[in-house]
Amino acid sequence: MARRWTNTLTAADVTPKATFLNRRQIMAGLGGAAGLAGLGALPQAAQAQELEPNSWEDVTTYCNYYEFGTGKGDPAKYAGQLTTSPWSVKIDGLVDRPGDYDFQQILGEMTLEERIYRFRCVEAWSMVVPWTGFELADLLNLAGVQSGAKYVAFETLYRPSEMPGTAYQVLDWPYREGLRLDEAMHPLTLMATGIFGQDLPNQNGAPLRLVVPWKYGFKSIKSIVRITLTDKEPETSWNMANAREYGFYSNVNPEVSHPRWSQASERRLGGGLFASRQDTLMFNGYSDEVASLYDGMDLTKFF
Ligand code: MTE
């Protein structure tokens, strides 16, 4: 498998590859002069070095995972009973090598570099999480994306015997999400398998979940069992539940209000009720990397 991440920086690596690499070195404390030299190229979100990650406690006890209940504390209480091994992911649709891919086998194929990101994941709150994982693109390339594919659809496990929340039709199960193919292939789009250098806890989507750092949190579908390459925009759970409030794209955009609240500012989770609000950044601070994906699109229409 081709490695798109290298350990040597050259002038040709300016951005975005060097950006990520520098960030990784800085975060891992290996940066020194080499890492800091590239600081000017870092996206705003990554430049905010003072951005400390949230605590393990915050990240693992204040969760959204409706299959285990709609309360923020429900996933931590009930997801422990989920069986996550063995685990396989069906990859089908417009791919050359469809099939059931065993999770351990996937890990063996991937260039798992303990890559550490500090993503700000914004929804009604924001969190800074050091994720580990691999690029979704690497997994899609393993299956061989066919030229007709335009979108990627994802599905979460639906196992009522272990998921008490699925007894309630708050969403149409299984939980579904989707990306356009170019979004899915972007190097910032992560298949997360861990946080803080440890395996993902069940409540955060073990054994593998999506992380799309420039989109709202609900795009980060957990405990994925199926990935389908398709030529049609896939249905997504929140859009099916309320199309007026949740669009397919779900890009972090301070200029487009949710029908019931402004999205222009955010408060870091864990900062306490009186923590100061900060301005939300376009594409969550990753404009330099991803804005071009949406050139010419009316983002008030494609929200
Ligand atoms: N994935 C599944 N399967 N079910 C869910 O209810 N909630 C989403 C997303 N992924 C959800 C899901 C929402 S609304 C958010 S904000 C994030 O997971 C929260 O991720 P975290 O709990 O790890 O912070």
Side-chain angles (χ1 to χ4, degrees):
M1 166 156 313
R3 285 171 186 253
R4 277 172 293 125
W5 295 74
T6 67
N7 289 319
T8 46
L9 282 177
T10 71
D13 284 317
V14 189
T15 182
K17 212 197 268 176
T19 301
F20 305 141
L21 194 59
N22 284 338
R23 177 167 33 175
R24 186 173 141 242
Q25 288 173 336
I26 290 164
M27 295 312 169
L30 307 170
L36 292 169
L39 203 58
L42 288 173
Q44 285 165 289
Q47 269 183 31
Q49 292 295 308
E50 73 281 10
L51 225 65
E52 278 301 305
N54 278 92
S55 65
W56 171 269
E57 180 83 5
D58 281 347
V59 178
T60 62
T61 62
Y62 190 86
C63 300
N64 269 333
Y65 196 165
Y66 279 17
E67 286 87 335
F68 296 97
T70 54
K72 305 293 179 215
D74 289 341
K77 253 186 252 163
Y78 304 119
Q81 62 191 301
L82 184 69
T83 310
T84 59
S85 176
W87 192 272
S88 75
V89 181
K90 182 185 287 301
I91 307 185
D92 62 1
L94 299 171
V95 289
D96 294 333
R97 293 172 289 281
D100 294 312
Y101 288 74
D102 179 73
F103 177 63
Q104 290 305 328
Q105 219 175 323
I106 291 174
L107 283 185
E109 299 277 354
M110 292 301 133
T111 55
L112 244 191
E113 292 184 60
E114 289 293 302
R115 186 178 308 133
I116 297 176
Y117 292 86
R118 289 190 180 189
F119 285 154
R120 297 189 316 143
C121 290
V122 184
E123 213 226 4
W125 63 85
S126 66
M127 260 207 253
V128 182
V129 182
W131 301 103
T132 51
F134 51 84
E135 290 171 30
L136 172 62
D138 286 341
L139 180 58
L140 297 181
N141 287 335
L142 193 68
V145 178
Q146 294 183 348
S147 59
K150 294 195 176 71
Y151 295 91
V152 188
F154 303 85
E155 276 181 30
T156 291
L157 176 74
Y158 173 64
R159 188 183 290 153
S161 62
E162 292 183 347
M163 295 174 146
T166 59
Y168 306 93
Q169 285 300 313
V170 282
L171 292 172
D172 191 359
W173 313 111
Y175 193 98
R176 269 159 276 190
E177 258 309 335
L179 294 173
R180 219 169 54 190
L181 184 63
D182 55 350
E183 299 176 322
M185 298 302 273
H186 194 282
L188 272 172
T189 302
L190 183 71
M191 278 275 118
T193 57
I195 55 172
F196 298 93
Q198 301 188 33
D199 288 347
L200 272 182
N202 286 0
Q203 61 267 37
N204 296 98
L208 85 167
R209 59 91 66 84
L210 186 66
V211 175
V212 194
W214 67 94
K215 294 179 183 274
Y216 291 107
F218 60 88
K219 294 301 271 189
S220 297
I221 181 171
K222 297 178 170 180
S223 307
I224 295 165
V225 292
R226 186 173 180 192
I227 299 176
T228 307
L229 279 290
T230 149
D231 58 359
K232 291 191 187 58
E233 187 180 285
E235 292 193 309
T236 65
S237 289
W238 284 101
N239 182 254
M240 289 160 77
N242 192 337
R244 208 174 75 87
E245 299 192 3
Y246 303 104
F248 176 78
Y249 283 92
S250 316
N251 290 321
V252 173
N253 187 342
E255 285 149 32
V256 177
S257 292
H258 182 281
R260 286 183 283 129
W261 54 77
S262 160
Q263 305 193 124
S265 69
E266 64 199 54
R267 188 184 281 135
R268 272 274 308 283
L269 178 70
L273 199 56
F274 301 104
S276 63
R277 298 189 72 88
Q278 54 201 67
D279 290 346
T280 294
L281 301 173
M282 187 67 195
F283 299 115
N284 207 20
Y286 294 95
S287 284
D288 287 353
E289 286 85 356
V290 302
S292 63
L293 297 177
Y294 310 102
D295 276 350
M297 287 175 69
D298 178 354
L299 297 182
T300 59
K301 203 162 132 212
F302 299 101
F303 57 93

